[in-house]
Amino acid sequence: MPPAVGYSLNVLWTLLRDFKIQFRYWPRFLLMVLINLINWPFRTYERLFINPRYRQLKEGTELIFIVGHWRSGTTHLHNLISQDPQMGYTTTYQSVFPDTLFNRLGYFIFEGFARLLIPGKRAGDNVRLGMQLPQEEEFALGAKTPLCFYYFWMFPKDIRRIYERSIRFKNASPSLINQWNKDYELLISKALKNTGSSVYLSKNPSHTGRVEHLLKRFPKAKFIFIHRNPVEVYLSTDNFFKNMMPHLQLQQITKEERQQSIIDLYKTIMKDFFDQKTLIPEGQYSEISFDNLEQNPLKCVEYIYKALNLEGYDAAKPQFQSFIDKMKSYEKNQHVISQSQMESLLVQLRPSMEAFGYEIPKHIQVV
């Protein structure tokens, strides 16, 4: 079920108005509305009496944004760096119920419900999930203001329109964008309080195309960009979408539509990132590859801390090493691709492969 169960009724109405829900998915949408209605009094109480305490982000709060295309290692990097106790983050629970976080009765009810809703492992890649584990905040950003790229999970046929509006902010009014900014600051403030931390660590691939906007709002923010071989990214993303979308979608798309959307999305968001990358001030940017993160995770983290002038690496080193040791048993998905599909991919992804110096991955089976 889509995480929109924690959304405002106004946002649900906007989704109903702006997108077409296919008949077969109406029961899913109606169940989502029902849960939303049950949550409404708890959500309303928190917005009226609790949220005002967190609307203003504390001056000087350090913000770090992990960006990079989906399936490039952003989740692994996020989980790794979040082992540092000073790093705060949006939890999985907060990403689904951002305004039922500090309401004790509401939290008790919906945290238990969310445990039933969310599996122990993510369907697309077997990454461990848990209510208090780090999670990206994109779903939560669409809870009150209808600007969220992850609406595409529900409405995959409209992915291009959703991208233009929620990442490039085209056709979004200044008041709507301003409200999104305020919602984001509130989310960060509550996340830091919830995790008892001082530095906000974001992992949100959608931000890869929002660098300019984020810098305008948070001029001292720091960015970590992680990249991976584009062929691997495509194959992993296709597998991820294929496995995740059936649980979230309110529209049906064909395999061909899904795969073309992935290619178009990769080319678009990477272009947007490179167009905006130069805006990041010196000392606020660090770049690593997924291969290096796999081979030398501890060295990568140390490099990031030095490049961004972050404190606390030595103190958190034992926690980093413990997490790395636990992840040694994790097995990645294996991918197979036809010769014709590989040739087509190379034509479309060649610019990015050349920019990063990548070749055809040797471990991918071409048949």
Side-chain angles (χ1 to χ4, degrees):
M1 184 180 296
V5 291
Y7 281 16
S8 73
L9 295 176
N10 178 60
V11 169
L12 289 182
W13 165 247
T14 301
L15 297 178
L16 187 61
R17 181 194 66 196
D18 292 350
F19 301 100
K20 182 179 179 181
I21 300 173
Q22 292 181 343
F23 180 76
R24 65 184 291 185
Y25 296 113
W26 268 101
R28 174 177 286 178
F29 182 76
L30 293 175
L31 181 58
M32 187 170 69
V33 172
L34 176 61
I35 297 169
N36 190 287
L37 288 172
I38 296 171
N39 180 253
W40 181 80
F42 304 101
R43 189 171 64 243
T44 301
Y45 178 87
E46 184 151 329
R47 288 179 179 175
L48 290 176
F49 300 106
I50 298 178
N51 283 357
R53 308 174 200 170
Y54 302 99
R55 291 197 191 283
Q56 287 295 114
L57 193 61
K58 290 183 180 179
E59 188 174 350
T61 298
E62 194 164 19
L63 306 176
I64 303 170
F65 296 104
I66 297 175
V67 297
H69 193 280
W70 295 264
R71 320 307 304 145
S72 294
T74 55
T75 297
H76 180 51
L77 183 60
H78 190 218
N79 288 337
L80 175 55
I81 296 180
S82 67
Q83 301 305 305
D84 185 342
Q86 69 177 323
M87 298 295 175
Y89 46 81
T90 300
T91 64
T92 299
Y93 175 81
Q94 186 186 6
S95 73
V96 181
F97 295 104
D99 279 326
T100 320
L101 185 63
F102 297 138
N103 180 319
R104 293 184 180 180
L105 178 58
Y107 180 88
F108 174 78
I109 294 172
F110 290 97
E111 199 268 349
F113 168 76
R115 287 183 183 275
L116 298 175
L117 181 73
I118 298 175
K121 291 185 178 181
R122 202 161 59 181
D125 54 9
N126 298 317
V127 168
R128 189 167 68 94
L129 295 175
M131 291 301 97
Q132 305 310 319
L133 294 178
Q135 186 59 261
E136 57 196 76
E137 65 272 20
E138 185 65 19
F139 266 122
L141 288 174
K144 296 191 288 293
T145 303
L147 289 174
C148 170
F149 180 59
Y150 282 0
Y151 293 162
F152 89 85
W153 284 111
M154 295 179 279
F155 306 103
K157 285 183 175 293
D158 296 282
I159 187 170
R160 166 52 65 178
R161 177 159 63 102
I162 295 170
Y163 184 97
E164 292 294 325
R165 180 175 169 83
S166 64
I167 292 186
R168 288 178 169 171
F169 294 122
K170 289 187 177 180
N171 301 318
S173 67
S175 61
L176 199 63
I177 297 172
N178 185 55
Q179 186 58 51
W180 185 89
N181 289 332
K182 290 180 179 179
D183 288 343
Y184 200 5
E185 291 196 23
L186 173 65
L187 184 83
I188 293 171
S189 295
K190 292 176 73 173
L192 291 175
K193 175 64 176 179
N194 185 49
T195 55
S197 306
S198 57
V199 180
Y200 183 69
L201 181 67
S202 160
K203 187 276 290 194
N204 192 349
S206 302
H207 282 343
T208 308
R210 295 187 185 126
V211 170
E212 182 175 8
H213 178 83
L214 292 171
L215 281 171
K216 287 180 180 178
R217 190 67 178 181
F218 311 113
K220 295 184 179 180
K222 298 176 180 180
F223 294 83
I224 307 169
F225 174 65
I226 181 170
H227 58 82
R228 185 184 186 185
N229 191 303
V231 174
E232 290 183 291
V233 168
Y234 167 80
L235 293 173
S236 185
T237 304
D238 186 41
N239 182 68
F240 188 69
F241 280 20
K242 179 181 67 176
N243 285 285
M244 286 291 292
M245 205 162 276
H247 304 285
L248 305 174
Q249 67 193 85
L250 299 175
Q251 293 175 345
Q252 190 79 17
I253 61 169
T254 65
K255 174 183 176 181
E256 291 72 24
E257 287 174 321
R258 182 189 75 230
Q259 292 180 338
Q260 189 57 52
S261 292
I262 292 169
I263 293 173
D264 292 342
L265 174 60
Y266 182 90
K267 292 163 67 176
T268 302
I269 202 166
M270 295 307 286
K271 179 183 184 304
D272 284 351
F273 174 72
F274 282 113
D275 287 346
Q276 300 170 44
K277 173 185 172 182
T278 55
L279 299 174
I280 304 175
E282 185 177 353
Q284 294 177 219
Y285 179 75
S286 177
E287 181 176 314
I288 65 169
S289 72
F290 177 75
D291 291 340
N292 284 340
L293 180 63
E294 270 198 317
Q295 296 165 13
N296 299 294
L298 206 56
K299 288 185 178 180
C300 277
V301 175
E302 183 178 15
Y303 166 77
I304 289 168
Y305 272 63
K306 287 181 178 179
L308 299 181
N309 195 28
L310 300 175
E311 298 180 354
Y313 171 78
D314 289 333
K317 188 175 179 179
Q319 287 94 326
F320 295 145
Q321 187 62 61
S322 176
F323 178 81
I324 292 167
D325 292 341
K326 291 177 183 177
M327 290 299 296
K328 287 179 179 179
S329 61
Y330 175 76
E331 294 184 8
K332 296 188 298 180
N333 292 319
Q334 301 299 313
H335 303 291
V336 180
I337 185 173
S338 67
Q339 183 65 45
S340 60
Q341 189 179 17
M342 175 64 82
E343 292 173 358
S344 176
L345 273 180
L346 292 177
V347 171
Q348 300 192 70
L349 302 179
R350 179 62 66 184
S352 291
M353 294 188 72
E354 292 178 350
F356 294 123
Y358 285 115
E359 301 291 340
I360 299 175
K362 295 180 180 180
H363 60 274
I364 289 179
Q365 186 178 354
V366 181
V367 296

